[in-house]
Protein backbone atom coordinates (compact mmCIF):
# COMPACT_ATOMS: atom_id res chain seq x y z
CA UNK A 1 0.00 0.00 0.00
CA UNK A 2 2.89 2.35 0.73
CA UNK A 3 4.53 1.80 -2.66
CA UNK A 4 1.72 3.44 -4.72
CA UNK A 5 1.78 6.36 -2.30
CA UNK A 6 5.50 6.79 -2.77
CA UNK A 7 5.08 6.85 -6.53
CA UNK A 8 2.85 9.92 -6.24
CA UNK A 9 5.88 11.96 -5.22
CA UNK A 10 8.34 13.09 -7.89
CA UNK A 11 11.80 11.69 -7.25
CA UNK A 12 14.06 14.65 -7.93
CA UNK A 13 17.34 12.92 -7.12
CA UNK A 14 19.63 11.68 -9.91
CA UNK A 15 21.42 8.53 -8.77
CA UNK A 16 24.08 6.25 -10.14
CA UNK A 17 23.44 2.51 -9.90
CA UNK A 18 26.03 2.20 -7.12
CA UNK A 19 24.58 5.11 -5.19
CA UNK A 20 21.08 3.68 -5.44
CA UNK A 21 22.23 0.32 -4.07
CA UNK A 22 23.94 1.95 -1.10
CA UNK A 23 20.80 3.88 -0.28
CA UNK A 24 18.66 0.76 -0.52
CA UNK A 25 20.64 -0.90 2.26
CA UNK A 26 20.53 2.08 4.64
CA UNK A 27 17.79 3.01 7.09
CA UNK A 28 16.12 6.20 5.87
CA UNK A 29 16.54 8.06 9.16
CA UNK A 30 20.25 7.21 9.29
CA UNK A 31 20.81 8.04 5.61
CA UNK A 32 19.03 11.40 5.77
CA UNK A 33 20.78 12.34 9.01
CA UNK A 34 24.15 11.72 7.34
CA UNK A 35 23.13 13.71 4.28
CA UNK A 36 21.99 16.66 6.40
CA UNK A 37 25.26 16.60 8.30
CA UNK A 38 27.48 16.47 5.21
CA UNK A 39 25.38 18.62 2.87
CA UNK A 40 23.24 21.09 4.86
CA UNK A 41 21.30 22.34 1.81
CA UNK A 42 20.79 18.99 0.11
CA UNK A 43 17.48 18.11 1.77
CA UNK A 44 15.93 21.46 0.91
CA UNK A 45 17.06 21.12 -2.72
CA UNK A 46 15.36 17.71 -2.91
CA UNK A 47 12.21 18.89 -1.11
CA UNK A 48 12.79 16.57 1.85
CA UNK A 49 10.98 17.61 5.07
CA UNK A 50 13.47 18.75 7.71
CA UNK A 51 11.60 17.13 10.63
CA UNK A 52 13.65 14.07 11.65
CA UNK A 53 10.58 12.48 13.24
CA UNK A 54 9.11 12.09 9.76
CA UNK A 55 12.13 10.09 8.61
CA UNK A 56 11.15 7.13 10.79
CA UNK A 57 9.55 4.22 8.94
CA UNK A 58 6.44 4.28 11.13
CA UNK A 59 5.79 7.89 10.07
CA UNK A 60 6.19 7.22 6.36
CA UNK A 61 2.68 8.35 5.33
CA UNK A 62 3.08 11.59 7.30
CA UNK A 63 6.44 12.02 5.55
CA UNK A 64 4.79 11.66 2.15
CA UNK A 65 2.09 14.17 3.01
CA UNK A 66 4.64 16.68 4.27
CA UNK A 67 6.70 16.27 1.12
CA UNK A 68 3.64 16.74 -1.08
CA UNK A 69 2.94 20.03 0.65
CA UNK A 70 6.58 21.09 0.37
CA UNK A 71 6.73 20.25 -3.34
CA UNK A 72 3.47 22.12 -3.97
CA UNK A 73 4.76 25.20 -2.15
CA UNK A 74 8.06 25.23 -4.03
CA UNK A 75 6.35 24.68 -7.37
CA UNK A 76 3.93 27.53 -6.69
CA UNK A 77 6.82 29.85 -5.83
CA UNK A 78 8.68 28.81 -8.97
CA UNK A 79 5.68 29.44 -11.22
CA UNK A 80 4.97 32.78 -9.53
CA UNK A 81 8.48 33.98 -10.26
CA UNK A 82 8.98 32.42 -13.68
CA UNK A 83 8.08 35.62 -15.52
CA UNK A 84 9.98 37.93 -13.17
CA UNK A 85 12.97 39.45 -14.94
CA UNK A 86 15.65 41.86 -13.97
CA UNK A 87 15.56 45.53 -14.75
CA UNK A 88 15.43 46.14 -18.48
CA UNK A 89 15.58 49.30 -20.51
CA UNK A 90 12.15 50.26 -21.77
CA UNK A 91 11.97 50.57 -25.55
CA UNK A 92 11.82 54.09 -26.94
CA UNK A 93 8.37 55.40 -27.76
CA UNK A 94 7.83 57.35 -30.96
CA UNK A 95 7.71 60.54 -28.86
CA UNK A 96 11.06 59.66 -27.29
CA UNK A 97 12.50 59.00 -30.74
CA UNK A 98 11.38 62.38 -32.07
CA UNK A 99 12.62 64.14 -28.93
CA UNK A 100 16.13 62.79 -29.56
CA UNK A 101 16.35 64.78 -32.78
CA UNK A 102 18.09 63.90 -36.02
CA UNK A 103 21.32 61.93 -35.84
CA UNK A 104 23.37 59.46 -37.86
CA UNK A 105 20.65 56.89 -37.16
CA UNK A 106 17.53 59.08 -37.36
CA UNK A 107 16.22 61.49 -39.97
CA UNK A 108 13.00 63.48 -40.36
CA UNK A 109 11.25 64.27 -43.64
CA UNK A 110 8.32 66.64 -43.82
CA UNK A 111 6.71 64.75 -46.69
CA UNK A 112 7.18 62.14 -49.37
CA UNK A 113 5.78 63.96 -52.40
CA UNK A 114 4.11 67.19 -51.33
CA UNK A 115 6.39 70.25 -51.62
CA UNK A 116 5.51 72.45 -48.65
CA UNK A 117 7.50 75.41 -49.96
CA UNK A 118 5.90 75.39 -53.42
CA UNK A 119 2.52 74.10 -52.26
CA UNK A 120 2.43 71.48 -55.01
CA UNK A 121 3.37 67.91 -55.88
CA UNK A 122 7.11 67.33 -56.33
CA UNK A 123 8.04 63.74 -57.21
CA UNK A 124 11.74 64.60 -56.83
CA UNK A 125 11.19 64.53 -53.08
CA UNK A 126 10.74 60.77 -53.33
CA UNK A 127 14.37 60.51 -54.44
CA UNK A 128 15.40 62.18 -51.19
CA UNK A 129 13.60 59.49 -49.20
CA UNK A 130 15.19 56.76 -51.33
CA UNK A 131 18.61 58.35 -50.85
CA UNK A 132 18.12 58.38 -47.07
CA UNK A 133 17.08 54.73 -46.98
CA UNK A 134 20.09 53.78 -49.12
CA UNK A 135 22.42 55.76 -46.85
CA UNK A 136 21.09 53.96 -43.77
CA UNK A 137 21.48 50.60 -45.50
CA UNK A 138 25.04 51.39 -46.55
CA UNK A 139 25.90 52.46 -43.01
CA UNK A 140 24.74 51.05 -39.68
CA UNK A 141 21.01 51.26 -40.33
CA UNK A 142 18.55 53.78 -38.96
CA UNK A 143 15.03 55.16 -38.94
CA UNK A 144 13.33 57.67 -41.20
CA UNK A 145 10.20 59.49 -40.05
CA UNK A 146 7.98 61.00 -42.74
CA UNK A 147 5.52 63.69 -41.64
CA UNK A 148 7.93 65.31 -39.16
CA UNK A 149 9.89 68.47 -39.93
CA UNK A 150 13.54 69.13 -39.09
CA UNK A 151 12.59 70.64 -35.71
CA UNK A 152 10.53 67.63 -34.68
CA UNK A 153 7.14 69.23 -35.33
CA UNK A 154 4.39 66.79 -36.33
CA UNK A 155 3.07 67.69 -39.79
CA UNK A 156 1.36 64.44 -40.66
CA UNK A 157 0.82 62.71 -43.99
CA UNK A 158 -2.47 64.28 -45.08
CA UNK A 159 -0.88 66.33 -47.88
CA UNK A 160 0.89 63.22 -49.19
CA UNK A 161 -2.31 61.21 -49.02
CA UNK A 162 -4.04 63.82 -51.18
CA UNK A 163 -1.05 64.17 -53.53
CA UNK A 164 -1.09 60.42 -54.15
CA UNK A 165 -4.80 60.35 -55.01
CA UNK A 166 -6.65 60.58 -51.69
CA UNK A 167 -5.16 57.36 -50.35
CA UNK A 168 -4.81 55.97 -46.82
CA UNK A 169 -1.87 54.56 -44.85
CA UNK A 170 -2.18 51.10 -46.42
CA UNK A 171 -1.86 52.47 -49.95
CA UNK A 172 0.88 54.85 -48.79
CA UNK A 173 2.85 51.86 -47.54
CA UNK A 174 2.26 50.02 -50.80
CA UNK A 175 3.53 53.06 -52.72
CA UNK A 176 6.69 53.13 -50.59
CA UNK A 177 7.28 49.42 -51.09
CA UNK A 178 6.96 49.82 -54.86
CA UNK A 179 9.54 52.64 -54.79
CA UNK A 180 11.95 50.62 -52.66
CA UNK A 181 11.49 47.38 -54.60
CA UNK A 182 12.43 49.13 -57.85
CA UNK A 183 15.57 50.62 -56.33
CA UNK A 184 16.80 47.97 -53.89
CA UNK A 185 15.14 44.70 -54.96
CA UNK A 186 12.45 42.72 -53.21
CA UNK A 187 14.88 40.56 -51.20
CA UNK A 188 16.43 43.54 -49.42
CA UNK A 189 13.13 45.32 -48.88
CA UNK A 190 11.47 42.21 -47.46
CA UNK A 191 14.27 41.36 -45.06
CA UNK A 192 15.72 44.74 -44.14
CA UNK A 193 12.97 47.38 -44.23
CA UNK A 194 10.05 47.71 -41.82
CA UNK A 195 7.30 50.30 -42.35
CA UNK A 196 4.84 51.29 -39.64
CA UNK A 197 2.56 54.20 -38.78
CA UNK A 198 1.88 56.24 -35.66
CA UNK A 199 -0.88 58.66 -34.74
CA UNK A 200 0.34 61.78 -32.95
CA UNK A 201 -1.68 64.94 -32.34
CA UNK A 202 -4.45 63.42 -34.49
CA UNK A 203 -1.98 63.18 -37.37
CA UNK A 204 -0.40 60.11 -38.93
CA UNK A 205 3.32 59.80 -39.46
CA UNK A 206 5.28 57.01 -41.13
CA UNK A 207 8.31 55.29 -39.61
CA UNK A 208 10.71 53.41 -41.87
CA UNK A 209 13.25 51.25 -40.04
CA UNK A 210 16.25 50.23 -42.16
CA UNK A 211 18.73 47.47 -41.32
CA UNK A 212 22.31 47.47 -42.63
CA UNK A 213 22.65 45.96 -46.10
CA UNK A 214 24.84 42.97 -46.83
CA UNK A 215 25.73 44.37 -50.25
CA UNK A 216 26.10 48.00 -51.40
CA UNK A 217 22.87 49.85 -52.21
CA UNK A 218 23.59 51.84 -55.35
CA UNK A 219 20.66 53.98 -56.49
CA UNK A 220 19.75 55.61 -59.77
CA UNK A 221 19.31 59.38 -59.59
CA UNK A 222 17.93 61.65 -62.30
CA UNK A 223 19.38 65.16 -62.60
CA UNK A 224 17.51 68.28 -63.72
CA UNK A 225 18.39 67.51 -67.34
CA UNK A 226 16.87 64.04 -67.12
CA UNK A 227 20.24 62.29 -67.07
CA UNK A 228 20.33 59.13 -64.95
CA UNK A 229 23.42 58.23 -62.94
CA UNK A 230 24.26 55.73 -60.22
CA UNK A 231 25.29 56.99 -56.81
CA UNK A 232 26.37 55.55 -53.47
CA UNK A 233 25.26 57.28 -50.27
CA UNK A 234 26.19 56.79 -46.62
CA UNK A 235 25.36 58.51 -43.35
CA UNK A 236 27.61 61.25 -42.07
CA UNK A 237 26.36 62.87 -38.90
CA UNK A 238 22.67 63.66 -39.36
CA UNK A 239 22.74 63.73 -43.16
CA UNK A 240 23.12 61.40 -46.13
CA UNK A 241 26.28 62.07 -48.11
CA UNK A 242 27.29 60.91 -51.58
CA UNK A 243 30.55 58.93 -51.55
CA UNK A 244 32.91 60.54 -54.09
CA UNK A 245 33.91 58.23 -56.93
CA UNK A 246 37.54 58.41 -55.83
CA UNK A 247 36.57 57.03 -52.39
CA UNK A 248 34.03 54.41 -53.40
CA UNK A 249 36.44 51.44 -53.53
CA UNK A 250 37.93 52.31 -50.17
CA UNK A 251 34.50 52.72 -48.59
CA UNK A 252 33.17 49.47 -50.03
CA UNK A 253 36.24 47.59 -48.82
CA UNK A 254 35.95 48.99 -45.33
CA UNK A 255 32.16 48.58 -45.04
CA UNK A 256 31.40 45.36 -46.90
CA UNK A 257 34.59 43.37 -47.29
CA UNK A 258 36.18 43.24 -43.86
Amino acid sequence: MLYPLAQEITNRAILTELGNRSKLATDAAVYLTEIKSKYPNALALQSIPDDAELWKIENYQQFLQARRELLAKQLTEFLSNITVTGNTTAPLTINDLIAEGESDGLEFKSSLRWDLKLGTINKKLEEVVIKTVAAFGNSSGGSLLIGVDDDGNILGLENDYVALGNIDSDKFQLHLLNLFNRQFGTAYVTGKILIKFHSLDDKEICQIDVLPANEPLVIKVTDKNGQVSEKLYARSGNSSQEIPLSEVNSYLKDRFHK
Side-chain angles (χ1 to χ4, degrees):
M1 180 176 176
L2 293 179
Y3 183 79
L5 288 173
Q7 297 310 301
E8 295 179 17
I9 305 298
T10 302
N11 183 4
R12 298 174 62 193
I14 300 176
L15 302 171
T16 64
E17 182 180 0
L18 181 60
N20 203 34
R21 287 175 180 172
S22 65
K23 281 182 59 182
L24 188 63
T26 306
D27 182 84
V30 174
Y31 173 78
L32 293 176
T33 299
E34 291 176 352
I35 291 297
K36 183 177 181 180
S37 176
K38 293 180 180 179
Y39 312 103
N41 295 324
L43 297 186
L45 291 173
Q46 296 299 324
S47 302
I48 301 296
D50 193 49
D51 185 355
E53 282 297 310
L54 297 176
W55 302 345
K56 297 178 180 179
I57 190 65
E58 62 265 29
N59 296 327
Y60 187 57
Q61 292 195 49
Q62 292 94 315
F63 169 87
L64 292 179
Q65 180 59 35
R67 193 171 188 230
R68 288 190 193 99
E69 294 173 358
L70 188 56
L71 281 167
K73 178 182 177 182
Q74 292 177 345
L75 182 59
T76 299
E77 291 175 350
F78 172 78
L79 293 175
S80 297
N81 295 319
I82 197 168
T83 58
V84 175
T85 59
N87 293 329
T88 57
T89 302
L92 287 177
T93 66
I94 187 63
N95 287 308
D96 294 333
L97 197 62
I98 293 172
E100 285 192 347
E102 292 185 307
S103 65
D104 59 346
L106 178 64
E107 185 160 331
F108 304 151
K109 292 298 178 188
S110 298
S111 63
L112 174 68
R113 183 179 278 197
W114 183 257
D115 193 318
L116 293 170
K117 293 180 179 180
L118 300 178
T120 187
I121 294 173
N122 182 358
K123 293 184 180 180
K124 290 289 292 182
L125 294 178
E126 293 182 343
E127 288 189 358
V128 179
V129 169
I130 291 170
K131 178 180 72 174
T132 302
V133 171
F136 280 139
N138 287 328
S139 303
S140 301
S143 296
L144 169 63
L145 301 182
I146 303 177
V148 181
D149 70 12
D150 292 343
D151 296 321
N153 298 309
I154 308 302
L155 305 181
L157 299 171
E158 186 59 34
N159 287 328
D160 278 327
Y161 287 168
V162 173
L164 288 165
N166 294 314
I167 63 172
D168 57 14
S169 60
D170 288 339
K171 292 183 178 178
F172 186 84
Q173 178 172 340
L174 181 60
H175 181 76
L176 283 174
L177 290 174
N178 288 334
L179 290 177
F180 297 154
N181 284 335
R182 286 196 294 268
Q183 283 284 355
F184 310 126
T186 304
Y188 177 77
V189 175
T190 301
K192 302 290 188 178
I193 294 179
L194 175 64
I195 300 173
K196 50 191 172 184
F197 295 84
H198 306 276
S199 180
L200 296 176
D201 301 333
D202 295 323
K203 299 174 182 177
E204 279 191 306
I205 65 171
C206 177
Q207 178 178 346
I208 305 172
D209 293 328
V210 183
L211 295 177
N214 297 325
E215 299 292 336
L217 298 177
V218 178
I219 65 172
K220 294 180 179 180
V221 178
T222 305
D223 64 21
K224 60 183 179 180
N225 297 317
Q227 297 296 316
V228 178
S229 59
E230 293 185 337
K231 296 185 181 294
L232 181 74
Y233 291 93
R235 293 296 288 180
S236 177
N238 62 354
S239 64
S240 302
Q241 299 291 326
E242 180 184 354
I243 304 297
L245 185 60
S246 61
E247 300 175 15
V248 166
N249 287 337
S250 176
Y251 182 82
L252 293 180
K253 182 179 179 180
D254 182 61
R255 167 65 177 83
F256 294 100
H257 304 295
K258 291 182 180 180

